[in-house]
């Protein structure tokens, strides 16, 4: 809703409050003023000129040479290219030195050999949007009515120096979709009176009902319908002030009758429609639901097919308008129209919404019906429009109206106590403060002790319950005046859940390990949705995706991380370590919500360590990535429960991939992206992992056992074992640990040799074994006994030979 | 005679100490003058020829001489040792201006950092962190929040539906209803709900179809709008900075009444008005209000309720 500051002054005294201050007050009271615009800001030097002479430019067909009186001592010569410029017109002249929108400065110029001292302007050149410019002046200069004074500021005459407040209305405040509605609001905020327009009826003796009758067949859809008749009008332009007000509100002027209906729409919030009486086709108006497949050609010349969902105004046989949405072309008011049927009605929001949606016709009028017009103002709005038509289109208003009024309006009556208001708001308003707020809103107030009984006017259909009154009290009292306190009440322990703590630990660990956290999209393409998925399950598709690229819910995070790698690789960033914690979604039954699991995924590529001047470079490999997740498991206290198993997974390097198991259950994988996939993605060698954070966080953790510093010495024995190439170091370690018994406290690998000094197909792995007893010093004999068992076991179970 | 000899020896020894330039040389001086076969011992051996009177005098002198020589040797030894260490260290000098060894350091995503900061703030005020699914039922996402299917503010075009009844949640509010159902009205409720939400917006500099929201809910006896104001004040100052001005203004949401929107002064222009703040000097960051008692999930809770939907705060950030 656009509100002209000047126009508003017709209804409320705004003295002492400028537009910006007013905007601030309105915003603080609950209707957000999104901007305050003064179109003439930065413009200057445009005056009303009088075209004294016009002749063809001697050297250019399409140019006119004009002598224009601009109120200065002598007329000036202006070359003008507008097709409609002519002698005798009053026009807007940008004089030499003027500034037009876009900081366009007007200078003295020579056009094809003729001097030009300024420019005659179109409305577009003065900053009006094309869609607001009347069709009469769409392709030429604007011509003022003849009574404007030469030399005056043209910007002022066009209403451009007015300030316009743009209100961002929330759905509950449709009452402010009119100047009078805004006036009520402003009146309440400022505590000032609202002045209504005075409707002075001047009606002929002839009765409207002799010309037209009204019958409503769909009473629920249309409880109020009033038709006035205005005879002998003369269609022409509306007064300039009305045109500028319409334009300031975003409505294009047409002719006096149409402009007046739009003016009342803006003033009262009541949409009106004018029919050409002589083209109406009958003397009766019948309002009913449309018949199936019934047709109407609307004002925009489109033929529209109707259904019984749509309400139509008919002439008894054919539809002449879609109620509240658009009139028909046949009965349109045209330049030769002389007699008018003026409709003012209350149409139900639902039926108007259905029609405007079905036909794609959303207008200022339909929007107001949809939100509900004030039933109490339907007739008054119609009367005022008729009066204005008589005044500005020279017609005669016939007596009375043909009408149907079947709406029983009772203002809502709501009671509330002062205590309730103060308790909810945390305020200590007095009875008189609250009473004055309701009175400023022009609500009916009855006060019994400290209980208010409020009668709400019909224009405020949004107020129906106690909480609505509390809100009114709060916003007019001012949110600034509500104290700021913190809840006191029973203490509640604030804490993270175990799961949330573990998630944070995971973040800290990966951050500490040098990984950057990424947040990518949950929606992805069909192809990527299930790539690298930990569980091969069906992905979920959106019913109406915005694009194929974002059409499926992801089953894995890795593909998106690889996209990040790709993006960086393409920008010469080769070394990258990323992780993401986020949900993946698995399809269940159609009727059920999907299964959501939180995963943790990483992608590491490029150099892990580099210290160039010392000549050190450590590229990322499998074990770098594995070290990262090992640190994670260690932090979560799960290191003992985790194992790895060589695995073949789609799109992964077949020799460099492992499944990660938690107590024997696969909960993730780690490895290198398959070189072919790397090539397709155009990324360098990249290692990835994806784990179920849910599984990790929900696993039971053995309580931390604290160990004292040993009092007895430990003994270390190193062994180098020669085994088959395919034998897994982890398997041997398991064998050693099992065979070593309780004296064996630690096993670690300290060397791996696969070079040419080994027999073909063999490798050597060196383990360091630490023996220790917390109770005593071990004897050589004890250790040897344990160690021999180990040697025997590895020989037997892994075919390992001790390396000489 | 003996006396002179001793003084002479002292003189001689001290000269040699001074002249020594290496520890080895110094040691030779020590052995030569203070050793058992040294000249001082020899002098003392001849003391038998002296009178009883003279003997202690010479003895004392001999000790003084020994001491003087030993002290000087000690001093010299320290000096030589220090010099030797310094000489060695000099060869170990490095170029301290060369760059150090890079340490791998990771980082939290800025969104996570902000979310954790907010979580910690509220945990400090007795809240817990509630979470819920990102794919929701129409009931929890809309209907339970007074947004029935016919509601004009609800357009299929604004949400990512999967089926007629299942969609990507458009806000974190369903978590409130879910939490309340579990809670069953026992004791106060103080939660904040962070999470990802999804709306049909074209991705550009200021919009994203996926973004982060946080909201909070307090249900308790005797809490009021002023408590909400105080809480939002603490929150906004903490998150956006103490120097930013905060403005509360009335607003409208289908699930709260009265409702409030919080603006913060524009950082870009400092409140003077610029294109970012549409010339108003203020930027809308969040909304909230008193939960409407008509909400289905509140039906069983006859209390004053305080709610704050700390939403749209992250609207501008990429997911
Ligand atoms: Zn700004």
């Amino acid at each position: 809703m656009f509100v002209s500051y000047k126009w508003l002054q017709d209804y409320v005294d705004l003295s002492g409050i400028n537009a910006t201050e007013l905007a601030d007050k309105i915003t603080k009271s609950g209707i957000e003023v999104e901007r305050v615009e003064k179109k003439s800001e930065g413009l200057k030097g445009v005056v009303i000129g009088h075209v004294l002479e016009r002749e063809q430019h001697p050297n250019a067909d399409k140019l006119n040479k004009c002598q224009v009186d601009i109120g200065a001592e002598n007329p000036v010569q202006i070359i003008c290219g507008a097709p409609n410029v002519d002698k005798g017109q009053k026009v807007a002249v940008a004089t030499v030195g003027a500034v037009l929108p876009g900081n366009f400065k007007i200078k003295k110029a020579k056009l094809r050999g003729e001097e030009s001292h300024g420019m005659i302007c179109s409305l577009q050149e003065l900053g009006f949007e094309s869609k607001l410019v009347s069709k009469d002046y769409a392709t030429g200069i604007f011509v003022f009515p003849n009574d404007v004074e030469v030399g005056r500021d043209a910007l002022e005459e066009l209403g451009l120096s007015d300030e316009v407040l743009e209100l961002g209305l929330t759905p509950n405040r449709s009452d402010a979709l009119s100047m009078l509605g805004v006036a009520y609001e402003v009146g309440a905020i400022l505590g000032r009176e609202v002045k209504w327009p005075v409707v002075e009826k001047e009606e002929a003796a002839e009765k409207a009902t002799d010309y037209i009758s009204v019958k409503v067949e769909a009473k629920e859809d249309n409880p109020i319908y009033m038709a006035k008749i205005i005879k002998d009008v003369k269609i022409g332009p509306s007064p300039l002030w009305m045109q500028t007000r319409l334009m300031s509100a975003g409505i294009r002027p047409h002719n006096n009758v149409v402009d007046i209906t739009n003016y009342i729409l803006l003033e009262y919030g009541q949409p009106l429609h004018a029919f050409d009486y002589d083209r109406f086709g009958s003397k009766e108006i019948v309002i009913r639901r449309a018949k199936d497949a019934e047709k109407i050609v609307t004002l925009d010349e489109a033929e529209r097919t109707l259904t019984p969902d749509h309400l139509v105004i008919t002439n008894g046989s054919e539809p002449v308008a879609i109620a509240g949405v658009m009139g028909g072309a046949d009965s349109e008011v045209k330049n030769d129209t002389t007699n008018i049927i003026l409709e003012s009605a209350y149409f139900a929001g639902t039926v108007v919404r259905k029609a405007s949606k079905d036909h794609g016709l959303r207008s200022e009028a339909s929007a107001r019906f949809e939100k509900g017009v004030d039933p109490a103002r339907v007739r008054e709005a119609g009367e005022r429009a008729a009066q204005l038509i008589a005044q500005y289109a020279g017609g005669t208003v016939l007596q009375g109206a043909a009408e149907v009024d079947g709406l029983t309006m009772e203002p809502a009556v709501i009671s509330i106590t002062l205590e309730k208001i103060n308790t909810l708001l945390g305020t200590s308003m007095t009875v008189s403060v609250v009473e004055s707020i309701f009175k400023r809103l022009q609500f009916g107030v009855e006060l019994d002790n400290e209980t208010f009984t409020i009668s709400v006017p019909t224009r405020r259909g949004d107020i129906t319950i106690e909480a609505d009154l509390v809100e009114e009290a709060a916003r007019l009292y001012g949110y600034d005046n509500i104290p700021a306190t913190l809840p006191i009440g029973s203490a509640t322990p604030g804490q993270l859940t175990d799961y949330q703590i573990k998630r944070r630990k995971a973040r800290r660990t990966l951050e500490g390990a040098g990984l950057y956290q990424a947040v990518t999209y949950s929606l992805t393409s069909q192809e990527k949705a299930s790539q690298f998925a930990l569980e091969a399950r069906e992905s979920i598709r959106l019913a109406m995706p915005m694009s194929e690229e974002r059409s499926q819910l992801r089953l894995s995070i890795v593909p998106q991380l690889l996209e990040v790698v790709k993006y960086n690789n393409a920008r010469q960033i080769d070394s990258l370590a990323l992780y993401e914690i986020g949900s993946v979604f698995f399809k269940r039954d159609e009727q059920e919500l999907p299964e959501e699991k939180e995963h943790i995924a990483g992608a590491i590529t490029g150099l892990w360590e580099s210290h160039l001047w010392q000549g050190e470079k450590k590229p990322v490999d499998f074990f770098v990535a594995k070290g990262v997740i090992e640190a994670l498991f260690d932090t979560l206290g799960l290191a003992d429960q985790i194992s790895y198993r060589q695995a073949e997974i789609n799109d992964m390097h077949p020799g460099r991939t492992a499944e990660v198991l938690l107590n024997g259950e696969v909960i993730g994988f780690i490895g290198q992206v398959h070189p072919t996939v790397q090539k397709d993605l155009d990324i360098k060698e990249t290692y990835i992992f994806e784990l179920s954070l849910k599984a990790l966080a929900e696993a039971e953790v053995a309580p931390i056992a604290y160990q004292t510093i040993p009092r007895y010495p430990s003994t270390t024995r190193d062994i180098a074992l020669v085994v088959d190439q395919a034998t897994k170091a982890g398997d041997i370690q398991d064998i050693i640990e099992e065979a070593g018994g309780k004296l064996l406290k630690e096993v670690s690998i300290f060397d791996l040799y696969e070079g040419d000094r080994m027999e073909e197909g063999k490798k050597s792995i060196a383990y360091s074994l630490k023996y220790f007893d917390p109770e005593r010093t071990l004897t050589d004999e004890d250790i040897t006994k344990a160690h021999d068992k180990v040697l025997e076991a590895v020989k037997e179970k892994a075919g390992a030979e001790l390396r000489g | 005679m003996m006396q002179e000899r001793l003084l002479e020896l002292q003189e001689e020894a001290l000269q040699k100490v001074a002249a020594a330039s290496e520890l080895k040389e110094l040691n030779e001086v020590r052995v030569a003058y203070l050793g058992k076969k040294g000249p001082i011992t020899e002098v003392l051996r001849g003391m038998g020829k002296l009178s009883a009177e003279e003997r202690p005098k010479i003895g004392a002198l001999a000790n003084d001489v020994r001491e003087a020589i030993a002290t000087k040797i000690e001093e010299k030894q320290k000096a030589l040792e220090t010099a030797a260490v310094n000489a060695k260290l000099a060869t170990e000098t490095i170029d301290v201006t060369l760059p150090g060894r890079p340490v791998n350091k990771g980082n939290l995503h800025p969104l996570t950092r902000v979310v954790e900061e907010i979580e910690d703030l509220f945990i400090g005020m007795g809240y817990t962190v509630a979470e819920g699914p990102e794919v929701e039922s129409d009931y929890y996402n809309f209907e339970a929040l007074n947004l029935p299917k016919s509601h004009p503010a609800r357009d299929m075009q604004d949400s990512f539906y999967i089926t007629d009844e299942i969609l990507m949640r458009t806000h974190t509010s369903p978590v409130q209803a879910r939490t309340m159902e579990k809670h069953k009205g026992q004791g106060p409720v103080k939660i904040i709900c962070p999470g990802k939400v999804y709306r049909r917006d074209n991705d550009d500099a200021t919009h994203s179809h996926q973004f982060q929201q946080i909201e909070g809910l307090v249900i308790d006896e005797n809490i009021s709008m002023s408590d909400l104001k105080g809480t939002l004040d603490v929150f906004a100052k903490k998150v956006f900075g103490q120097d930013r001005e905060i403005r509360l203004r009335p607003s409208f949401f289908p699930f709260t009444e009265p409702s409030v929107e919080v603006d913060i002064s524009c950082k870009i222009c400092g409140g003077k008005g610029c294109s970012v703040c549409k010339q108003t000097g203020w930027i809308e960051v969040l909304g909230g209000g008193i939960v409407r008692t008509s909400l289905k999930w509140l039906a069983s809770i006859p209390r004053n309720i305080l709610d704050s939907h700390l939403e749209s705060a992250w609207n501008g950030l990429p997911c």
Side-chain angles (χ1 to χ4, degrees), chain A residues 228-371:
Chain A
K228 303 259 325 166
I229 302 287
I230 304 111
K231 272 176 74 178
D232 304 326
V233 300
K234 191 175 178 322
I235 303 299
S238 61
L240 183 59
W241 63 263
M242 187 178 284
Q243 293 187 39
T244 60
R245 283 183 175 187
L246 291 178
M247 287 192 285
S248 75
I251 292 180
R252 179 208 291 248
H254 289 275
N255 59 46
N256 44 15
V257 172
V258 172
D259 288 359
I260 288 165
T261 60
N262 281 329
Y263 186 77
I264 297 299
L265 171 126
L266 292 171
E267 190 176 47
Y268 280 76
Q270 172 64 47
L272 304 172
H273 187 69
F275 298 97
D276 184 322
Y277 179 79
D278 303 303
R279 293 196 188 98
F280 194 73
S282 80
K283 288 192 167 193
E284 62 167 350
I285 300 171
V286 178
I287 299 101
R288 59 167 167 83
R289 288 293 184 107
K291 293 169 193 155
D292 212 4
E294 206 169 4
K295 295 203 161 52
I296 181 174
V297 176
T298 43
L299 282 176
D300 54 359
E301 319 251 295
E303 190 188 64
R304 298 177 185 274
T305 307
L306 304 165
T307 76
D309 285 342
H310 308 141
L311 185 69
V312 285
I313 316 299
T314 72
N315 58 13
S317 48
E318 287 170 346
V320 292
I322 305 174
V325 177
M326 194 178 259
D330 290 347
S331 56
E332 183 185 359
V333 171
K334 293 185 176 159
N335 285 342
D336 61 352
T337 298
T338 50
N339 300 314
I340 281 171
I341 305 171
L342 180 69
E343 163 198 291
S344 185
Y346 182 102
F347 298 121
T350 46
V351 72
V352 172
R353 183 181 308 134
K354 182 76 178 116
S356 79
K357 209 178 158 192
D358 287 354
H359 297 292
L361 289 172
R362 238 181 146 265
S363 62
E364 296 274 352
S366 69
R368 283 170 176 80
F369 281 123
E370 282 176 34
K371 287 176 173 148

Side-chain angles (χ1 to χ4, degrees), chain B residues 266-279 281-283:
Chain B
C266 176
K267 198 175 189 172
I268 309 292
C269 62
K272 278 187 234 118
C274 69
S275 59
V276 172
C277 57
K278 289 207 261 171
Q279 309 303 332
W282 297 96
I283 292 175

Side-chain angles (χ1 to χ4, degrees), chain B residues 31-42:
Chain B
V31 174
Y33 287 89
L34 303 177
K36 291 211 165 75
K37 289 173 185 164
I40 295 172
T41 318
E42 208 164 302

Side-chain angles (χ1 to χ4, degrees), chain A residues 665-682:
Chain A
E665 294 266 343
V666 176
I667 55 125
F669 69 90
I670 177 168
Q672 186 192 335
V673 176
H674 197 290
T676 323
V677 177
Q678 286 174 176
K679 202 169 159 228
D680 288 350
L681 277 170
D682 203 12

Side-chain angles (χ1 to χ4, degrees), chain A residues 735-773:
Chain A
I735 296 167
I736 296 175
E737 278 170 1
E738 202 196 323
K742 61 175 199 291
L743 295 185
L744 179 62
K745 287 292 181 262
E746 235 178 79
V747 182
S748 49
I749 297 171
F750 70 90
D751 188 40
L752 173 71
Y753 183 73
E754 300 175 294
D756 25 281
R757 277 182 288 135
M758 295 301 298
E759 191 190 324
E760 181 78 15
K762 298 276 183 186
K763 64 181 173 189
S764 156
I765 312 171
Y767 293 86
S768 178
L769 286 68
K770 196 178 198 180
Y771 294 95
F772 165 68
D773 189 329

Side-chain angles (χ1 to χ4, degrees), chain A residues 186-206:
Chain A
V186 170
I189 294 167
L190 302 178
R192 293 184 189 178
E193 214 184 310
V194 177
K195 296 169 282 184
W196 273 82
V198 183
V199 182
E200 283 167 19
K201 279 199 201 174
E202 240 184 82
E203 293 184 343
E206 266 189 302

